[in-house]
Amino acid sequence: MEAERLNLAAPNLADPRLAWYLDARFGLFIHWGAYSVAGTEASWPVMAPRLSEAMFGTASKISEAAYRALPERFNPVDFDADAWVRTAWDAGMRYIVITAKHHDGFCMFDAPGTEYKITRTAFGRDVCKELSLACATRGMRLGFYYSPPDMNHPGYRNTNKPIASNWLGEPKRKEWAGYLDYMESQLRKLLSDYGPVSLIWFDGLCNHQKYDTARFHKLIHELSPDTLINDRLGPGYDFVTPEQFIPKTGIPVKTGKAPSSDGPESEKFFRQVVFLFKIPGIRGWIKKQMAKYSDGSMELVPVVQEPNPSPERFQSWETCMTIGRSWAYNPDETVWKTPRELLRNLVLVASGGGNYLLNVGPTDKGSFPPESLERLAYLGRWMKKNSAAIYGSSYTSLPVQAWGRATRKGDKVFLHVFEWPSEGKLQVAGFPSGALKASLLSGEALSFLATKDGLEISVPQKAPDVDVSVLVVDIDPSKGQGSTP
Ligand code: GLC
C-alpha cells in the first residue's frame, strides 16, 4: 500500500498500448503545410485573423483567396524525411506527430476524395509516406495530427461563404454526413497505407460531439488497435493534451470526461472571443490574455490535477508547445524559447509523468529553421548524458523542491537540480529513510546522510551541467522506501 503511494508501479501500465508512449517522454510536433509558403500561422489567419495574431504573434494579412492558392507555390524541394527523423532522434525525441491535415483542409498525404493535397502540387510527393518510411528505418514512432475542422470541404461548411463566417462548421446542413464519410475515408487511408501509426492526434477545436466521436474511435480501434488517441475528439481517449502549459498544481488524473471543449456550448467561447475582439476597449484585455496563452502562464483548457495520485488514477498527458510563438513557420519570429527553458520544461513535464511534444514549423522549402535546429541540438547534447533520468521515468511523491524536480524509475530516484547549492550540500526535503546510494548520474559516488527533514547529499562545488544536473539515489523499495515522505 505504501509502495503504491510512492508510485512503484509505472502509471497506466495496466494498458500495454501505452507502454512505448510513457517510455518515450519526448516527441516532435511538426506543423507543416502550404501555409509555410506565406510564413503565416496554420489556418487561423483565414478563420479568425485577429485572434490568430493575438495568440501566435504572426501577422495575418492574407486574403482568403491568397491563402487558398498557396499550394500552387508550395514546392519543398529540400524536404528530406531521413534528415528530419535523424534530427529528432539526436535531440532525444522518440516520436513524431505531423499535421497530415490542418483546419484549412490541405492534405499532406495522398488523401482520397480531394485534389487539395500535396500529391497534386508541383512537388507531387507524399510527405507522410516518406516520413513513415524514414521513421520505420530509425525505429522512431509516428503519429498523425488530423483536424476534423476542414475549411476546404463543402460538407463541413458552405464554402461559398467567407471562412470567417462559418469556420466552426455547419453540422446541421444535410451535407454534413458526407463530410464525416470523407473523414472516415481519410483516416482509413492513413491507418492502412502508412505503416504502423502510433497515434492519431485529433484537433477538433470544440463541440467534438458533432464529429460522432464514438464512430471514429471505433474505426481506429478496429483498423489499428494499438494506435493511441488524444482527447480532442471527446471521451474514450488515451491521453490529454495541455496546450502551451505544464500543469502546475499537481498531476493530471482521470475524470472520464473530455477536459477540452466537448459539448455544443463550447463553441460559445470562440464566438464570444471573436465578437469581443471587435470592441476596442476589450481588445487590449483579450490580447493580454492571449499572450499568457503563448507564454504558458494560462491554462487555456485546464486539466484536472491532484498532488500525488495512485497509478490507477493517473491520467497520461502530453504538453504540446511551440518552440517560438507560432506553430507554423514564421520567418519573423522573435520570441524563441531559450534552450535552458526548453530543457527545464522537459524535466518539469517528465517529473509530472507527462510527455513533452515540442513543435517545429519547417520552412516552405522543407528544412527546419536554424533557431529550431540549434535548440534541438542543445537538448540532444543533454539527453545524450541524462536520458536515463527521462525515458520511462515518472512522478515521485516527493514534495516540490526549491532546487528543481525529481523523477523516478524503479528503484532509482533522479534529482534534477536547476539551482546548484553553493554550500556543497543538496537538501532533499521529505526523502524517506533508507537510501542505499547517491551518485552523480555520470557515476561519481556522493556521500549522504539522512536528516530529520529528508536527505542531505554532499555535492561537488561546481554544477556538472549549467542547466540541469542529475543525481541518482538508489532506494530499496522493500525496506520502507515506499513510505510517503
Ligand atoms: C491549437 C490550434 C492549432 C494547433 C494546435 C496544436 O489548438 O488550433 O492551430 O495545431 O493548437 O495543439
Side-chain angles (χ1 to χ4, degrees):
M1 244 159 54
E2 301 248 286
E4 201 177 83
R5 295 199 65 192
L6 238 193
N7 315 312
L8 290 181
N12 259 351
L13 274 191
D15 185 350
R17 292 163 62 249
L18 277 155
W20 74 265
Y21 184 72
L22 294 173
D23 199 62
R25 288 289 171 244
F26 191 24
L28 176 67
F29 210 0
I30 298 176
H31 274 65
W32 198 40
Y35 42 81
S36 312
V37 174
T40 191
E41 185 52 278
S43 312
W44 285 98
V46 285
M47 287 160 39
R50 283 188 169 139
L51 188 59
S52 180
E53 282 187 24
M55 287 180 84
F56 315 115
T58 25
S60 1
K61 304 215 170 15
I62 184 162
S63 71
E64 201 176 307
Y67 184 100
R68 289 180 52 76
L70 289 170
E72 290 164 23
R73 290 190 284 137
F74 189 32
N75 192 7
V77 287
D78 296 338
F79 172 61
D80 176 348
D82 291 316
W84 283 16
V85 175
R86 204 179 322 120
T87 299
W89 187 273
D90 291 347
M93 295 159 152
R94 291 297 177 263
Y95 64 110
I96 294 179
V97 181
I98 185 169
T99 45
K101 182 186 81 164
H102 204 263
H103 311 322
D104 58 16
F106 182 72
C107 297
M108 295 294 279
F109 64 109
D110 193 19
T114 184
E115 298 294 300
Y116 202 52
K117 58 182 173 184
I118 185 106
T119 44
R120 286 286 184 275
T121 62
F123 185 58
R125 285 156 50 189
D126 185 332
V127 162
C128 291
K129 181 55 88 41
E130 290 185 24
L131 200 56
S132 89
L133 293 172
C135 282
T137 309
R138 227 339 124 152
M140 179 75 95
R141 296 273 182 165
L142 180 65
F144 293 122
Y145 168 110
Y146 186 86
S147 167
D150 189 318
M151 303 308 131
N152 185 56
H153 197 282
Y156 176 78
R157 61 175 199 100
N158 179 347
T159 46
N160 296 319
K161 293 188 178 160
I163 292 177
S165 71
N166 58 7
W167 60 276
L168 286 165
E170 297 175 302
K172 295 209 172 83
R173 291 164 74 234
K174 63 174 184 336
E175 292 88 344
W176 187 259
Y179 175 64
L180 295 187
D181 292 344
Y182 172 79
M183 243 177 89
E184 173 168 336
S185 69
Q186 297 204 329
L187 286 162
R188 274 187 186 282
K189 170 91 179 175
L190 284 171
L191 290 163
S192 311
D193 293 354
Y194 292 80
V197 176
S198 292
L199 62 90
I200 293 287
W201 213 101
F202 286 118
D203 196 7
L205 292 183
C206 52
N207 187 6
H208 304 140
Q209 294 162 17
K210 67 178 182 251
Y211 301 107
D212 196 347
T213 308
R215 168 176 173 182
F216 288 99
H217 281 191
K218 186 164 169 264
L219 176 79
I220 296 170
H221 292 317
E222 273 170 16
L223 289 173
S224 179
D226 289 339
T227 301
L228 302 179
I229 307 175
N230 77 342
D231 61 333
R232 298 193 184 187
L233 204 73
Y237 48 84
D238 294 299
F239 60 95
V240 299
T241 53
E243 178 170 322
Q244 295 290 36
F245 71 91
I246 300 169
K248 289 181 193 66
T249 58
I251 312 289
V253 288
K254 288 198 173 107
T255 61
K257 293 189 224 125
S260 38
S261 358
D262 195 40
E265 71 292 342
S266 57
E267 288 191 354
K268 278 194 205 138
F269 167 79
F270 281 110
R271 291 194 203 282
Q272 272 163 0
V273 176
V274 171
F275 171 76
L276 291 173
F277 243 105
K278 296 188 181 130
I279 307 169
I282 303 183
R283 195 178 301 157
W285 181 82
I286 298 184
K287 278 194 183 160
K288 268 198 206 126
Q289 298 310 307
M290 289 306 163
K292 289 190 195 159
Y293 155 85
S294 69
D295 73 15
S297 57
M298 172 172 64
E299 300 196 357
L300 185 62
V301 183
V303 293
V304 183
Q305 305 161 41
E306 278 173 16
N308 182 29
S310 68
E312 292 72 36
R313 285 192 52 70
F314 172 76
Q315 169 62 64
S316 344
W317 61 280
E318 173 187 87
T319 283
C320 52
M321 197 183 274
T322 52
I323 201 165
R325 260 192 86 184
S326 58
W327 295 101
Y329 172 55
N330 175 7
D332 303 319
E333 183 66 270
T334 50
V335 196
W336 295 95
K337 293 187 175 89
T338 65
R340 164 177 284 189
E341 205 177 339
L342 295 168
L343 181 49
R344 291 185 174 179
N345 281 344
L346 172 62
V347 171
L348 292 176
V349 168
S351 73
N355 282 17
Y356 192 39
L357 187 63
L358 181 61
N359 181 77
V360 166
T363 69
D364 61 314
K365 288 286 167 271
S367 59
F368 288 3
E371 294 87 348
S372 300
L373 283 175
E374 243 169 63
R375 282 160 178 75
L376 295 181
Y378 193 97
L379 292 164
R381 283 193 288 276
W382 186 88
M383 281 296 275
K384 209 163 180 198
K385 292 188 229 137
N386 300 291
S387 64
I390 299 289
Y391 296 139
S393 73
S394 192
Y395 58 100
T396 70
S397 55
L398 291 174
V400 170
Q401 310 283 331
W403 43 256
R405 290 290 187 278
T407 56
R408 172 171 187 166
K409 187 158 53 184
D411 57 4
K412 291 189 189 308
V413 175
F414 299 98
L415 308 173
H416 300 252
V417 187
F418 298 176
E419 308 302 331
W420 194 252
S422 49
E423 67 286 5
K425 306 256 183 251
L426 186 79
Q427 307 293 344
V428 191
F431 204 93
S433 60
L436 298 177
K437 187 181 153 200
S439 55
L440 296 177
L441 185 56
S442 54
E444 188 188 327
L446 302 172
S447 61
F448 63 94
L449 50 102
T451 65
K452 69 174 178 13
D453 300 323
L455 203 62
E456 181 183 279
I457 307 176
S458 300
V459 296
Q461 277 306 319
K462 196 172 170 295
D465 190 276
V466 290
D467 302 306
V468 183
S469 304
V470 184
L471 273 60
V472 195
V473 181
D474 289 41
I475 54 173
D476 179 353
S478 66
K479 289 204 184 126
Q481 290 300 319
S483 62
T484 300

